[in-house]
Amino acid sequence: MKVHANAAVIASLVSEPSRAAILTVLLDGRYHPASELASMARITPQTASFHLAKMIEADVIAVEKQGRHRYYGIRNQEVARVMESLLSIAPQVKITSLKQHCEDRQIRYARTCYDHLAGQAGVKLTDALLAMGSLTEDEEGYQVTEKGEAFFADFGIDLDKTRKKRRAIF
């Protein structure tokens, strides 16, 4: 078996706490300015710029320029899946304040993660859509049923438009 040495490059990127924090912020699927990422990762803007450059070079994140501003986001859904997998097996951060406790409780309840609803609310919503027959699950993932097509239309969701998006969810 031949060892793929480039896996170490990616592992070293996400093993650095500031970069891991930035990638975790970017799991919301939005593009953020470096200053916001620095603030959320609790690092200086200069340090954030250094880490962002490393992750761009490794093709883990993308940058979009709008005028003189730059916005950073996760390159693709595969990167997000890997980060989610790592977070699922990572030890929990020790909670040392009421603020951390409240934030932890909120993020466990509901959050957006790249392009989907996650947390307890996401699980409950998926279970409800399966129970009412709006979704089915197979080896390829979730599929919208005819009943689901009608349900989403009644709810004001245009599935045809959603399917044409860059990251279609159905």
Side-chain angles (χ1 to χ4, degrees):
M1 179 171 115
K2 197 171 186 179
V3 176
H4 190 345
N6 288 337
V9 172
I10 302 303
S12 70
L13 282 174
V14 299
S15 68
E16 201 290 321
S18 297
R19 288 192 286 259
I22 289 169
L23 287 168
T24 301
V25 170
L26 293 175
L27 283 175
D28 69 1
R30 297 183 297 141
Y31 278 66
H32 298 266
S35 58
E36 182 181 325
L37 294 170
S39 174
M40 295 185 83
R42 295 187 171 106
I43 56 177
T44 66
Q46 296 82 358
T47 302
S49 293
F50 169 78
H51 290 308
L52 290 166
K54 288 249 186 221
M55 291 187 284
I56 289 168
E57 183 181 324
D59 209 25
V60 172
I61 63 170
V63 60
E64 288 186 1
K65 296 176 184 173
Q66 293 180 3
R68 50 178 235 183
H69 301 285
R70 292 182 177 170
Y71 298 88
Y72 301 87
I74 289 183
R75 168 74 61 197
N76 59 41
Q77 196 161 1
E78 189 57 33
V79 173
R81 278 194 207 110
V82 169
M83 281 304 297
E84 285 180 327
S85 294
L86 290 172
L87 289 170
S88 73
I89 61 172
Q92 294 295 315
V93 174
K94 185 174 180 176
I95 295 175
T96 59
S97 71
L98 179 60
K99 180 180 178 186
Q100 281 181 312
H101 169 74
C102 293
E103 288 172 351
D104 181 68
R105 191 175 71 222
Q106 290 170 341
I107 205 155
R108 286 178 187 277
Y109 178 71
R111 65 189 178 279
T112 56
C113 196
Y114 199 58
D115 63 355
H116 62 275
L117 178 64
Q120 295 166 351
V123 172
K124 287 179 181 180
L125 177 61
T126 301
D127 289 346
L129 291 169
L130 286 166
M132 63 189 269
S134 292
L135 291 180
T136 59
E137 185 178 15
D138 60 28
E139 57 278 347
E140 294 180 23
Y142 295 102
Q143 307 300 322
V144 179
T145 64
E146 281 187 40
K147 185 177 180 180
E149 295 271 348
F151 170 78
F152 288 115
D154 288 345
F155 204 71
I157 296 173
D158 184 345
L159 290 180
D160 290 331
K161 186 176 179 182
T162 301
R163 288 180 178 115
K164 292 176 185 171
K165 288 186 175 184
R166 190 175 82 170
R167 292 188 297 254
I169 55 174
F170 302 117

